[in-house]
Amino acid sequence: MNDLQPITLPGLDPRRPLVIAGPCSAETEEQVLDTARALAAEGIRIYRAGLWKPRTKPGGFEGVGAEGIPWLQRVKRETGMYTATEVATRDHVETALKGGVDVLWIGARTAANPFAMQEIANALRGHDVPVLVKNPVSPDLELWIGAIERIHNAGIRRLAAIHRGFTSIDKSIYRNHPMWAIPIELHRRLPELPIFCDPSHIGGKRELIAPLSQHAMDLGFDGLIIEAHCSPDSAWSDKAQQVTPDALGYILRNLVIRDQTVTTESLTELRAQIDKLDDQLLELLTRRMRISRDIGQYKKEHSMPILQAQRYEELLERRAKQAVELGMDREFMRTVLQAIHEESVRQQMEILG
Ligand code: PEP
Ligand code: MN
């Protein structure tokens, strides 16, 4: 995907983060306009509002649909902001584009469905509009990349990803677990693709928006999409995670954006040291694996089983404790040792043949 273009629109500041903000849902013309005016006063240039809302259960507020298009047109006329909305079907794409919506995004439930993604891609063919693809609800990077590829194959070049967290059975403070390793891996696979963070849907509560946004900026994310509402506590959807335009302005002003282009000499020197240590790590791992295979050979000759659970658990525990004493994280050390052990077992199984 080296033919991608940045998500630009005339007059937008190219510095990161590019911020998209607005209510989860367009509710009434008054709410849409009040929120938009306040956000424009905070310097926001792209206004989001969901017209079609994918709700987990029937009976909830499912969005005002096409009725909200003239409201977004008024936002553009009266504030000069660009507008963005979520599309999930061919009909949504056609209605939004005909209605002059400037930026489209695809929601997490839709991104998980290749048939829906293909239908949207087909409807986008021949249009030059920025499209943002949220991660699918499940932590499945290939499915996310597949969804992005379908839009790219339709000729869309102003394309970006939105990281909004993943459904997880693990209890946590998040509504959707961030699993930062997944967007980081997406960036490794598709380095030209801009990535936005959606701290509202990751956190699920307004207190988490600032720290999540800062985390995303520290990781080098390109943009943020944040839910803001003129009266968050009376919002018709996602009320716990929406902030007032005022609060959003405060959060954005306090973000620390570290410049990513300056490479100082001392950084080069530190990176060289890391490279050297990585060489040594690899060398040590290779030696460890070789000995592990020798042990495998010994076990084979003496008809011993490969897995010796008690020794393994003792080793894990001892090293985890040692790691903590050395100032490292206990869980990190367990994860590393488990990976090494898994590979040792695999190698010994090969010897057993
Ligand atoms: C939204 O942006 O309001 C939304 C429905 O998000 P998601 O698809 O991430 O759940
Ligand atoms: Mn929402």
Side-chain angles (χ1 to χ4, degrees), residues 24 48 53-54 86 105 107-109 134 164 198 201 227 238:
C24 178
R48 66 152 281 162
K53 299 305 299 179
E86 172 174 345
W105 84 81
R109 291 158 193 80
K134 287 200 174 196
R164 51 76 78 197
D198 176 343
H201 289 88
E227 290 188 339
D238 286 352

Side-chain angles (χ1 to χ4, degrees), residues 136-151:
V137 282
S138 55
D140 183 342
L141 178 60
E142 299 310 316
L143 195 58
W144 195 4
I145 292 179
I148 292 163
E149 278 175 0
R150 285 178 201 275
I151 304 297

Side-chain angles (χ1 to χ4, degrees), residues 17-304:
L18 181 54
V19 179
I20 302 173
C24 178
S25 306
E27 299 162 5
T28 64
E29 184 165 14
E30 194 188 5
Q31 167 254 4
V32 165
L33 267 295
D34 283 355
T35 308
R37 288 189 196 105
L39 285 171
E42 296 292 342
I44 301 298
R45 301 299 319 279
I46 308 179
Y47 183 72
R48 66 152 281 162
L51 298 178
W52 298 280
K53 299 305 299 179
R55 303 312 297 273
T56 303
K57 290 189 178 143
F61 170 60
E62 299 203 319
V64 296
E67 196 192 325
I69 292 277
W71 308 346
L72 293 184
Q73 290 170 346
R74 248 189 98 186
V75 168
K76 284 174 75 158
R77 264 199 323 274
E78 294 185 20
T79 70
M81 279 194 285
Y82 292 104
T83 56
T85 202
E86 172 174 345
V87 291
T89 66
R90 160 182 295 275
D91 184 51
H92 296 167
V93 173
E94 286 167 1
T95 306
L97 291 178
K98 225 170 91 217
V101 176
D102 304 285
V103 175
L104 305 179
W105 84 81
I106 291 150
R109 291 158 193 80
T110 312
N113 179 346
F115 291 118
M117 284 310 302
Q118 195 53 51
E119 177 186 317
I120 294 168
N122 294 343
L124 284 167
R125 197 173 289 282
H127 295 280
D128 179 19
V129 58
V131 178
L132 282 60
V133 183
K134 287 200 174 196
N135 64 262
V137 282
S138 55
D140 183 342
L141 178 60
E142 299 310 316
L143 195 58
W144 195 4
I145 292 179
I148 292 163
E149 278 175 0
R150 285 178 201 275
I151 304 297
H152 184 255
N153 288 347
I156 296 293
R157 292 298 174 262
R158 284 181 293 169
L159 188 56
I162 299 174
H163 168 230
R164 51 76 78 197
F166 303 88
T167 303
S168 166
I169 48 165
D170 293 340
K171 274 252 160 293
S172 84
I173 55 167
Y174 305 106
R175 177 179 179 194
N176 292 292
H177 205 285
M179 301 183 191
W180 295 102
I182 295 178
I184 290 170
E185 177 61 8
L186 175 68
H187 180 62
R188 195 187 66 79
R189 295 270 295 273
L190 302 174
E192 316 78 20
L193 183 76
I195 307 183
F196 283 63
C197 178
D198 176 343
S200 313
H201 289 88
I202 295 175
K205 6 180 162 15
R206 53 185 73 109
E207 305 78 59
L208 290 177
I209 291 175
L212 286 166
S213 299
Q214 185 61 57
H215 196 98
M217 288 303 104
D218 292 346
L219 286 174
F221 277 55
D222 302 277
L224 296 167
I225 175 164
I226 303 181
E227 290 188 339
H229 191 291
C230 55
S231 173
D233 287 330
S234 49
W236 297 1
S237 60
D238 286 352
K239 62 168 119 186
Q241 69 191 38
Q242 305 207 57
V243 283
T244 60
D246 221 35
L248 180 68
Y250 179 80
I251 291 169
L252 294 176
R253 280 191 299 279
N254 282 286
L255 281 181
V256 180
I257 309 300
R258 295 175 174 93
D259 193 333
Q260 49 184 354
T261 54
V262 186
T263 304
T264 61
E265 252 170 57
S266 55
L267 183 57
T268 313
E269 166 60 24
L270 290 172
R271 284 187 173 145
Q273 286 182 30
I274 288 270
D275 285 348
K276 210 161 134 206
L277 287 171
D278 283 348
D279 279 341
Q280 292 174 1
L281 266 176
L282 254 72
E283 165 75 29
L284 279 174
L285 276 175
T286 314
R287 275 164 55 193
R288 193 188 190 283
M289 284 304 161
R290 233 179 275 135
I291 294 175
S292 192
R293 288 179 75 91
D294 289 348
I295 294 177
Q297 191 61 39
Y298 182 93
K299 285 177 180 164
K300 181 181 178 180
E301 282 160 15
H302 295 80
S303 302
M304 286 167 71

